Amino acid sequence: MAWALKLPLTDEVIESGLVQDFDASLSGIGQELGAGAYSMSDVLALPIFKQEESNLPPDSDNKILPFQYVLCAPTSPAVKLHDETLTYLNQGQSYEIRMLDNRKIGELPEITGKMVKSIIRVVFHDRRLQYTEHQQLEGWRWNRPGDRILDLDIPMSVGIIDPRANPTQLNTVEFLWDPSKRTSVFIQVHCISTEFTMRKHGGEKGVPFRIQIDTFKENENEEYTEHLHSASCQVKVFKPKGADRKQKTDREKMEKRAPQEKEKYQPSYETTILTECSPWPEVTYVNNSPSPGFNSTHNSFPVAEGNGSPNHQPEPVVQVADVSSFLVCGFIWIYFINLLPTATPQDAQQWLHRNRFSPFCRLFTNFSGADLLKLTREDVIQICGPADGIRLFNALKGRVVRPRLTIYVCQESQQAREQHPKHENGDAAASTFFVYHAIYLEELTVTELTEKIAHLFSISPRQINQIFKQGPTGIHVLVSDEMIQNFQDEVCFVLDTMKDDTSDGYHIILK
């Protein structure tokens, strides 16, 4: 065997050889795996990368979170990592929510020294209960007459101004506050989680709620409609002292677990920090500013031309759906009812989202308004299931609940009053043409009737002192809640006005 003596190689030769060998070892990798065989997204989906990803800062460091809300109640220790925190509350107990100003220096200078408005709501966490929220709350109202789901403990609260609780919205409270001052609001939740569950074989499991806070600033018209921040947390409500027992039970269960199992659960924190979420509600509202009142003792109300009903808007707000509205405590709440056939697939997606059909948006990605409207009841039920399918079908067909009472009112002109005497039932001579306006009543109260008449004729409800009904021999009978409840459906009235001698208001006479 012959041995060849190799001379020492220079550094340049060695380096060039290594580079060639390395390049050769990399060649062919793409052909072996294929273009779609390897994806970094598969690797990043592993749990170890998910855990690291959750600790990373948000994509945009410039995102402004102007406020932070802290619920002074401990979180449950029996919540797994990466799951949303869960907090137990006692029914009727006052819990503090600290309203903290989280702005950096120079951020949102337009609210410096000004008030902001916050609305607190107790809503359902479960998606299926959200679909039937109105029916669930109405059922709770009937079972607990006179009670509220959410209340403010005003004596214990600090820094809140003009607190309000709408009598028609049992789960909502609102107030004004100054971010530059210490503010703490105390809330009480009066419904328990098991009131909305079905009893199954003697055992019950309460449904979770969400406590959500939405904060708004003033716009140019001094209305608090510009959204600033929203945050929420998940809670369960128990009977008095039940939350303390549940917290203790969860803690004892966690103590019995092995150390490896404990690492899969979150620690219990003394307070609950509300996390940022989408704003509520999914409907928009606009303030209703009343116009000037009456001009003389017997004068007509200023009625907008073409506005034939209190539920009709002169111009539609959107192009993709018909719009209806109703008056609640000075606000006109607008919600979308009918999807139009001319709606594009993008418009249809927006309509589905606004009407709480977001889980089905992917199924109907390429459906236009006409495509959705052509679906039969059986088609929708087969796609979405029985409960959601029936709800979607009714929404597509624009089916609304009939009001409890409908009355028709008009106000004849001064000329018609002088030329044509009226009959006892309020009708004038057959040759006179009158335009009536429909008023839809749900609560059947004098307050509701006053607000609807004021809204119909664009005046302030404060300008209407009392409402009378003309009785036998021309007497004036004071209208009460009981009288309205005994009104015949679709009864017609001619409205007349009479100046109140003791104030600047007016009396309404139904003839």
Side-chain angles (χ1 to χ4, degrees), residues 11 27 31 33 102 182 192-193 230 309 348 372 378 406 450 475:
D11 293 341
S27 63
Q31 291 86 353
L33 292 179
N102 202 32
R182 176 181 170 238
I192 59 178
S193 295
S230 294
S309 127
L372 288 173
E378 290 73 19
T406 302
T450 302
I475 63 174

Side-chain angles (χ1 to χ4, degrees), residues 321-394:
D322 292 338
V323 178
S324 291
S325 64
F326 58 94
L327 183 69
V328 178
C329 276
F331 293 98
I332 302 175
W333 293 83
I334 300 174
Y335 58 96
F336 299 87
I337 294 182
N338 294 334
L339 181 68
L340 298 182
T342 56
T344 65
Q346 293 78 14
D347 296 333
Q349 291 287 306
Q350 184 181 10
W351 182 89
L352 290 168
H353 177 72
R354 288 184 178 275
N355 286 271
R356 293 190 176 184
F357 295 108
S358 301
F360 306 106
C361 286
R362 182 175 296 181
L363 291 173
F364 300 110
T365 301
N366 298 319
F367 279 63
S368 64
D371 296 331
L372 288 173
L373 292 171
K374 289 178 182 178
L375 294 175
T376 65
R377 186 173 185 270
E378 290 73 19
D379 294 337
V380 180
I381 291 177
Q382 186 176 1
I383 295 172
C384 304
D388 293 329
I390 293 174
R391 196 174 70 88
L392 177 56
F393 180 77
N394 290 338

